[in-house]
Amino acid sequence: MLALDPVAARLFLPFAALIGLYVSWTDLRGMRIPNASVILLALVFVILGPFVLPLDTYGMRLLHLVVMLLAGMAATAARMMGAGDAKFIAAAAPFFALSDISAVMMLLAACMLAAFATHRAAKHSPLRRLAPDWESWDRGREFPMGTALSTTLTLYLALAAFG
């Protein structure tokens, strides 16, 4: 059982899922996660969070955003990840309960494997013709992590809401 309150998860889920779909599409299409989508995701938490979380929990979750933004900046500077991925991780961080970190890491690992395998399989199949100009097809070893990251957030909220 996840620590995130099911009521909070049900409120956050539709917004996070829609933003996540957009992030996945833009990352697959152009290997970019738009700043507007990251800001919108953060605003969903900032605006709705106080209505469904205790204020002390809400404040600590906002701290998650700051800590992950700083960590993401360091990882981007070290060329470990793209800036869009780092910003998305920071914007998504407040939605996760810290006590769920083990479950979140397992979910992220599964989403990364599934997204990578699906992307690579589609890249070398006739499905590629449906979107022949997607930049992610031709980026060599680079991978559009926005797909795995947004899927992790959406699945986590869905599991907390209905699991």
Side-chain angles (χ1 to χ4, degrees):
M1 182 168 193
L2 297 174
L4 181 62
D5 179 65
V7 173
R10 286 184 196 113
L11 180 63
F12 295 142
L13 180 58
F15 299 101
L18 287 173
I19 294 166
L21 282 172
Y22 179 72
V23 164
S24 292
W25 179 68
T26 58
D27 208 18
L28 286 164
R29 182 190 57 163
M31 293 295 290
R32 299 185 57 82
I33 298 175
N35 287 338
S37 60
V38 173
I39 292 167
L40 188 58
L41 182 62
L43 282 174
V44 167
F45 184 84
V46 167
I47 293 168
L48 299 178
F51 294 104
V52 291
L53 296 172
L55 287 181
D56 60 330
T57 301
Y58 175 73
M60 285 302 296
R61 298 279 185 86
L62 287 176
L63 187 58
H64 294 181
L65 187 150
V66 173
V67 168
M68 293 310 293
L69 183 59
L70 293 173
M73 290 170 67
T76 299
R79 298 185 181 261
M80 295 168 59
M81 70 171 59
D85 299 331
K87 290 181 285 188
F88 184 86
I89 290 168
F95 293 93
F96 297 99
L98 190 56
S99 60
D100 290 336
I101 193 70
S102 294
V104 171
M105 289 296 111
M106 287 189 286
L107 187 59
L108 176 61
C111 288
M112 286 173 61
L113 288 170
F116 184 81
T118 303
H119 181 265
R120 291 306 195 248
K123 176 181 177 176
H124 299 291
S125 79
L127 289 174
R128 182 176 177 161
R129 285 180 266 171
L130 295 173
D133 54 344
W134 277 2
E135 191 171 331
S136 66
W137 299 137
D138 300 315
R139 278 293 192 94
R141 296 178 58 135
E142 290 183 32
F143 173 71
M145 279 294 296
T147 304
L149 296 172
S150 62
T151 302
T152 300
L153 174 59
T154 301
L155 288 177
Y156 172 77
L157 293 173
L159 289 169
F162 305 110

